[in-house]
PDB file of all heavy atoms in Angstrom:
ATOM      1  N   ARG V 150      28.481  60.492 -46.235  1.00  0.00           N
ATOM      2  CA  ARG V 150      29.464  59.469 -45.961  1.00  0.00           C
ATOM      3  C   ARG V 150      29.019  58.566 -44.808  1.00  0.00           C
ATOM      4  O   ARG V 150      29.159  57.336 -44.830  1.00  0.00           O
ATOM      5  CB  ARG V 150      30.807  60.061 -45.748  1.00  0.00           C
ATOM      6  CG  ARG V 150      31.924  59.097 -45.357  1.00  0.00           C
ATOM      7  CD  ARG V 150      32.343  58.193 -46.544  1.00  0.00           C
ATOM      8  NE  ARG V 150      33.283  57.211 -46.103  1.00  0.00           N
ATOM      9  CZ  ARG V 150      32.873  56.025 -45.655  1.00  0.00           C
ATOM     10  NH1 ARG V 150      31.599  55.688 -45.566  1.00  0.00           N
ATOM     11  NH2 ARG V 150      33.805  55.111 -45.260  1.00  0.00           N
ATOM     12  N   CYS V 153      26.457  55.917 -45.784  1.00  0.00           N
ATOM     13  CA  CYS V 153      26.813  55.000 -46.885  1.00  0.00           C
ATOM     14  C   CYS V 153      26.025  53.705 -46.688  1.00  0.00           C
ATOM     15  O   CYS V 153      25.961  53.159 -45.576  1.00  0.00           O
ATOM     16  CB  CYS V 153      28.321  54.759 -46.908  1.00  0.00           C
ATOM     17  SG  CYS V 153      28.751  53.505 -48.144  1.00  0.00           S
ATOM     18  N   GLN V 154      25.402  53.213 -47.731  1.00  0.00           N
ATOM     19  CA  GLN V 154      24.542  52.073 -47.645  1.00  0.00           C
ATOM     20  C   GLN V 154      25.286  50.727 -47.951  1.00  0.00           C
ATOM     21  O   GLN V 154      24.597  49.686 -48.030  1.00  0.00           O
ATOM     22  CB  GLN V 154      23.342  52.248 -48.619  1.00  0.00           C
ATOM     23  CG  GLN V 154      22.633  53.549 -48.439  1.00  0.00           C
ATOM     24  CD  GLN V 154      21.661  53.534 -47.280  1.00  0.00           C
ATOM     25  OE1 GLN V 154      20.726  52.748 -47.194  1.00  0.00           O
ATOM     26  NE2 GLN V 154      21.919  54.438 -46.288  1.00  0.00           N
ATOM     27  N   CYS V 155      26.548  50.749 -48.168  1.00  0.00           N
ATOM     28  CA  CYS V 155      27.227  49.554 -48.532  1.00  0.00           C
ATOM     29  C   CYS V 155      27.357  48.571 -47.385  1.00  0.00           C
ATOM     30  O   CYS V 155      27.235  48.965 -46.241  1.00  0.00           O
ATOM     31  CB  CYS V 155      28.666  49.876 -49.139  1.00  0.00           C
ATOM     32  SG  CYS V 155      29.878  50.041 -47.891  1.00  0.00           S
ATOM     33  N   GLY V 156      27.598  47.306 -47.736  1.00  0.00           N
ATOM     34  CA  GLY V 156      27.637  46.230 -46.747  1.00  0.00           C
ATOM     35  C   GLY V 156      28.726  46.452 -45.646  1.00  0.00           C
ATOM     36  O   GLY V 156      28.552  45.916 -44.558  1.00  0.00           O
ATOM     37  N   SER V 157      29.821  47.143 -45.925  1.00  0.00           N
ATOM     38  CA  SER V 157      30.847  47.292 -44.933  1.00  0.00           C
ATOM     39  C   SER V 157      30.529  48.479 -44.029  1.00  0.00           C
ATOM     40  O   SER V 157      31.026  48.559 -42.898  1.00  0.00           O
ATOM     41  CB  SER V 157      32.215  47.437 -45.591  1.00  0.00           C
ATOM     42  OG  SER V 157      32.317  48.568 -46.358  1.00  0.00           O
ATOM     43  N   CYS V 158      29.659  49.401 -44.496  1.00  0.00           N
ATOM     44  CA  CYS V 158      29.342  50.552 -43.580  1.00  0.00           C
ATOM     45  C   CYS V 158      28.008  50.292 -42.846  1.00  0.00           C
ATOM     46  O   CYS V 158      27.799  50.864 -41.779  1.00  0.00           O
ATOM     47  CB  CYS V 158      29.150  51.792 -44.447  1.00  0.00           C
ATOM     48  SG  CYS V 158      30.735  52.398 -45.124  1.00  0.00           S
ATOM     49  N   MET V 159      27.121  49.396 -43.433  1.00  0.00           N
ATOM     50  CA  MET V 159      25.845  49.139 -42.786  1.00  0.00           C
ATOM     51  C   MET V 159      25.558  47.675 -42.908  1.00  0.00           C
ATOM     52  O   MET V 159      25.657  47.098 -43.958  1.00  0.00           O
ATOM     53  CB  MET V 159      24.770  49.967 -43.513  1.00  0.00           C
ATOM     54  CG  MET V 159      23.414  49.825 -42.907  1.00  0.00           C
ATOM     55  SD  MET V 159      22.270  50.906 -43.680  1.00  0.00           S
ATOM     56  CE  MET V 159      22.814  52.506 -43.039  1.00  0.00           C
ATOM     57  N   LEU V 168      29.991  51.350 -39.540  1.00  0.00           N
ATOM     58  CA  LEU V 168      31.049  52.354 -39.680  1.00  0.00           C
ATOM     59  C   LEU V 168      31.213  53.190 -38.447  1.00  0.00           C
ATOM     60  O   LEU V 168      30.225  53.536 -37.769  1.00  0.00           O
ATOM     61  CB  LEU V 168      30.613  53.304 -40.859  1.00  0.00           C
ATOM     62  CG  LEU V 168      31.333  54.555 -41.075  1.00  0.00           C
ATOM     63  CD1 LEU V 168      32.699  54.376 -41.547  1.00  0.00           C
ATOM     64  CD2 LEU V 168      30.548  55.429 -42.103  1.00  0.00           C
ATOM     65  N   HIS V 197      37.017  55.456 -49.880  1.00  0.00           N
ATOM     66  CA  HIS V 197      35.811  54.627 -49.892  1.00  0.00           C
ATOM     67  C   HIS V 197      34.895  54.963 -51.059  1.00  0.00           C
ATOM     68  O   HIS V 197      34.902  56.052 -51.500  1.00  0.00           O
ATOM     69  CB  HIS V 197      35.070  54.776 -48.534  1.00  0.00           C
ATOM     70  CG  HIS V 197      34.005  53.731 -48.335  1.00  0.00           C
ATOM     71  ND1 HIS V 197      34.327  52.451 -47.988  1.00  0.00           N
ATOM     72  CD2 HIS V 197      32.666  53.809 -48.394  1.00  0.00           C
ATOM     73  CE1 HIS V 197      33.184  51.759 -47.889  1.00  0.00           C
ATOM     74  NE2 HIS V 197      32.218  52.568 -48.125  1.00  0.00           N
ATOM     75  N   GLN V 198      34.160  53.903 -51.506  1.00  0.00           N
ATOM     76  CA  GLN V 198      33.221  54.163 -52.575  1.00  0.00           C
ATOM     77  C   GLN V 198      31.807  53.883 -52.104  1.00  0.00           C
ATOM     78  O   GLN V 198      31.507  52.872 -51.428  1.00  0.00           O
ATOM     79  CB  GLN V 198      33.522  53.253 -53.783  1.00  0.00           C
ATOM     80  CG  GLN V 198      34.885  53.592 -54.326  1.00  0.00           C
ATOM     81  CD  GLN V 198      35.149  52.913 -55.701  1.00  0.00           C
ATOM     82  OE1 GLN V 198      34.276  52.283 -56.220  1.00  0.00           O
ATOM     83  NE2 GLN V 198      36.309  53.130 -56.248  1.00  0.00           N
ATOM     84  N   SER V 199      30.879  54.748 -52.446  1.00  0.00           N
ATOM     85  CA  SER V 199      29.455  54.637 -52.049  1.00  0.00           C
ATOM     86  C   SER V 199      28.580  54.780 -53.301  1.00  0.00           C
ATOM     87  O   SER V 199      28.931  55.386 -54.274  1.00  0.00           O
ATOM     88  CB  SER V 199      29.042  55.769 -51.073  1.00  0.00           C
ATOM     89  OG  SER V 199      29.911  55.819 -49.950  1.00  0.00           O
TER      90      SER V 199
HETATM   91 ZN1  LIG W   1      30.319  52.163 -47.369  1.00  0.00          ZN
END
Side-chain angles (χ1 to χ4, degrees):
R150 176 69 188 87
C153 176
Q154 306 283 298
C155 85
S157 63
C158 292
M159 183 175 286
L168 167 70
H197 193 71
Q198 295 192 5
S199 306

